[in-house]
Amino acid sequence: MLQGNRRLSGAISIFLALVFTLCASLILASVETARSKGARTYLTIAADSAACSLFSQYHLELFEDYRILGLEEYSEDEIKDEMLSFINPYMSLPVRNWYALSTDKNGIRITDSVRMTENGGRPFIENVTEYMKLGVIKGLLSENEAAELITQILDARGVGDAADDFSLSFKEVNRLEKVLLNLEDEIDKSTKGINEAVSAVESYNYTAFCRASSKADRALSEIPGLTENFYSAADSLRARLETTRAELGNKLAGGEISAESYELLLSEIESFDRYTEKNGEVRNEIGDLPEKADKLKEKLYQLREEAEAAEDYVNSWVPGEILVGYTVPKTEGEKPMPIYEEETLDIGGVWRTAVGMCAGLKPIEVSFKSGIKNPEKKSALESVNNLLNGELLELMLPSGKRISKEAINLSEAPSKTGSSECEINIIENILMSEYVLMFLKFYDDEKDLPLEAEYALYGKESDHANLSQAAADLVKLRTGMNLIFLLKNSAKRHEAEAMATTITGLAAGTPLGLIMTFFIISVWALAQAVLDVRDLLDGERVQLMHDERSFYLTAEGILSIGTQLKKKRDESLKGLNYREYLRILLLINMKSQLCMRIMDILQLNLREKQEDFLMARLYTKIDFVIEAESTHVFYGSNKYRFNTVTSYGY
């Protein structure tokens, strides 16, 4: 290049142009990269904000009434439409020209979602516990206190269950005693029949002999069958004791009863063991009875044949004449005339053989005796036990109180449609139990309320059925607590021993006396438990563990339990009320199925305002992938797609 007379070079200009181009490209690439990343961030902000806005539309009545957060949506399409409506405003802002974003319904995907009723109600449990942790309830049980209470209650319930097992063992003892009583009765009948038969033979009275021997024969014929019944009852008792001992050991191993309660109950099993050992000796004696009975029957049969022969001889005998001498002639040539006398029957000689056979006809003698000397009182005690183990709700309810038997509709209830289970820890247990007492209605002795808490516990279709089950569980719980109290109280035990002595006629320390004492204590604990629950349903308070003053039923009072149910309790006594006992039932029964039934109640109540409301429609968490389209600003008009992930949940 020439400029004037000088030759100039353009290398620098070219170099600068190249450098500028490279710098501009670098700068613009950096700007475009930053813009792209900004667009992604902007899309993330828009997606997060849209998800937050979506979940801000929680079901208002559900929150206001029960403090539960749940997003009610009917389909995934509706959720996408809602999300799109919340994202679109971000796409229409002035900044749009810089980020140049656009999306549509197809760009919104739901990758995961959690509904309220899934996973055994785990989302519902977490929802409840998060609210309850806010400290809305003061004076909650601590974790240690709750664990200690649950252990104590489970121990009482385990003792109550064990008492039921012992009751079955007592039934086997009762069956065994009845067999012994029947054996004793039949042996007495046979003895009486044999003695009467011997007396009849000795008086040559065949008719009386037949009547007496038939009586003895019938009694002796019963003995083999009764012997088999004894074996069956004895074997059944032994098997029942083995089962009871094994179950007691399992309860101890499983933590269902304490070591102290285990030792108390084990000592009672030993009384049953002593009873079976004694009956082992009786068993040997009873084992000989069928053979003795058969031999006696054979002797009776032989005697009957001999007596029949004697009777036949007597009946067929025809009197004749016996020549006893001749007349003396009074005149010469007169001939002596024969003198005849009428023949007489030697009846003693006819029956001599039969009478001689009686010497070998000895009645059966046994050393055992039935241990029930006052069957009337024993029967009365058993009747009370049967009564108290039946349906008692109507007797325990306050006078005039009626509970609805109307069934509720559970066709779409969460507890009927859900199936999976989930674990609930001790903290969740405490909070869920308090939530039930805080938001659900339960039995009130003054008001007629729907029994929602009782339904949550048992899931039966009517208030009456649920309260009946609650009362039955409370009776079992109270029975266990009362039984522990009685077994530790020497004065009460002496009272039971005195009653056992009256029934059996045996000393308190004998095996049967010990068993009868424990049976009386068991019925006593049950009877007081029924009175305890009666008091709870009447608005009174009952101590968790009784003392001498609060345990007001006497042993003799068991037999008049009907009148006891009408008595009012001493109102000065302190303890727990029905609500607090309901908390105990909730603590020991809190499982995921119970939580599902809590949702049943919420759903039923909210359907009174919204007919199509379903807990299963409520979302507690949704994961989204939002895909958007953008245009490169500095790379031309070509478009590209990218996505972001967002998630929101209560």
Side-chain angles (χ1 to χ4, degrees), residues 636-650:
S637 61
N638 58 311
K639 297 183 177 182
Y640 65 96
R641 302 182 70 84
F642 62 95
N643 60 50
T644 189
V645 175
T646 188
S647 176
Y648 197 93
Y650 300 123

Side-chain angles (χ1 to χ4, degrees), residues 383-396:
S383 297
V384 170
N385 185 50
N386 293 334
L387 171 67
L388 297 180
N389 278 294
E391 175 57 59
L392 286 173
L393 181 60
E394 301 303 331
L395 292 176
M396 293 188 290

Side-chain angles (χ1 to χ4, degrees), residues 31 35 78 85 87 115 119 208 211 240 255 342 374 427 482 533 559 575 590 595 621 627 630:
V31 170
R35 190 203 66 82
E78 288 188 356
S85 69
I87 289 177
R115 295 177 188 254
N119 303 322
R211 186 167 53 249
R240 167 52 56 187
E342 187 175 347
N374 193 334
I427 296 297
N482 294 344
V533 177
L559 301 179
M590 186 60 68
C595 298
K621 183 176 180 294
E627 188 176 76
S630 184

Side-chain angles (χ1 to χ4, degrees), residues 605-622:
N605 291 342
L606 288 171
R607 291 189 99 169
E608 294 178 3
K609 303 176 183 178
Q610 178 186 335
E611 291 184 1
D612 65 344
F613 177 79
L614 290 174
M615 293 292 291
R617 287 202 192 111
L618 298 175
Y619 287 87
T620 61
K621 183 176 180 294
I622 303 177

Side-chain angles (χ1 to χ4, degrees), residues 241-429:
L241 287 176
E242 291 175 358
T243 301
T244 300
R245 186 179 281 103
E247 289 177 352
L248 201 59
N250 292 336
K251 289 181 186 296
L252 177 64
E256 296 179 51
I257 60 171
S258 65
E260 183 182 12
S261 297
Y262 174 78
E263 293 298 329
L264 282 173
L265 294 172
L266 197 62
S267 66
E268 300 301 331
I269 288 183
E270 290 175 359
S271 64
F272 282 88
D273 289 336
R274 288 173 59 189
Y275 178 78
T276 54
E277 288 170 7
K278 178 185 175 184
N279 276 319
E281 300 170 5
V282 174
R283 185 178 185 132
N284 294 331
E285 186 175 359
I286 289 176
D288 296 332
L289 291 181
E291 183 179 354
K292 290 180 179 180
D294 286 342
K295 288 180 178 179
L296 269 177
K297 287 177 65 178
E298 179 63 28
K299 289 181 179 180
L300 272 175
Y301 177 74
Q302 293 171 359
L303 181 57
R304 188 180 297 114
E305 285 187 331
E306 188 60 37
E308 185 179 357
E311 183 69 8
D312 288 344
Y313 180 84
V314 171
N315 290 336
S316 63
W317 182 76
V318 178
E321 292 182 340
I322 300 175
L323 180 65
V324 296
Y326 291 88
T327 61
V328 178
K330 295 180 180 180
T331 60
E332 190 176 346
E334 185 181 353
K335 293 182 178 181
M337 299 295 294
I339 300 174
Y340 295 94
E341 289 184 2
E342 187 175 347
E343 184 180 7
T344 58
L345 179 64
D346 182 9
I347 193 167
V350 174
W351 282 86
R352 185 176 294 110
T353 304
V355 171
M357 293 175 66
C358 289
L361 197 64
K362 300 294 184 184
I364 295 175
E365 294 181 358
V366 292
S367 62
F368 63 81
K369 294 288 183 182
S370 168
I372 306 300
K373 300 306 177 188
N374 193 334
E376 294 79 15
K377 197 164 191 175
K378 173 177 167 292
S379 296
L381 191 64
E382 289 175 340
S383 297
V384 170
N385 185 50
N386 293 334
L387 171 67
L388 297 180
N389 278 294
E391 175 57 59
L392 286 173
L393 181 60
E394 301 303 331
L395 292 176
M396 293 188 290
L397 284 173
S399 178
K401 185 75 173 180
R402 294 290 179 269
I403 304 298
S404 173
K405 294 184 179 181
E406 182 179 350
I408 57 176
N409 182 10
L410 298 173
S411 57
E412 294 182 290
S415 64
K416 302 298 181 183
T417 56
S419 58
S420 60
E421 296 284 335
C422 69
E423 294 294 326
I424 299 177
N425 62 42
I426 186 67
I427 296 297
E428 291 171 336
N429 187 342

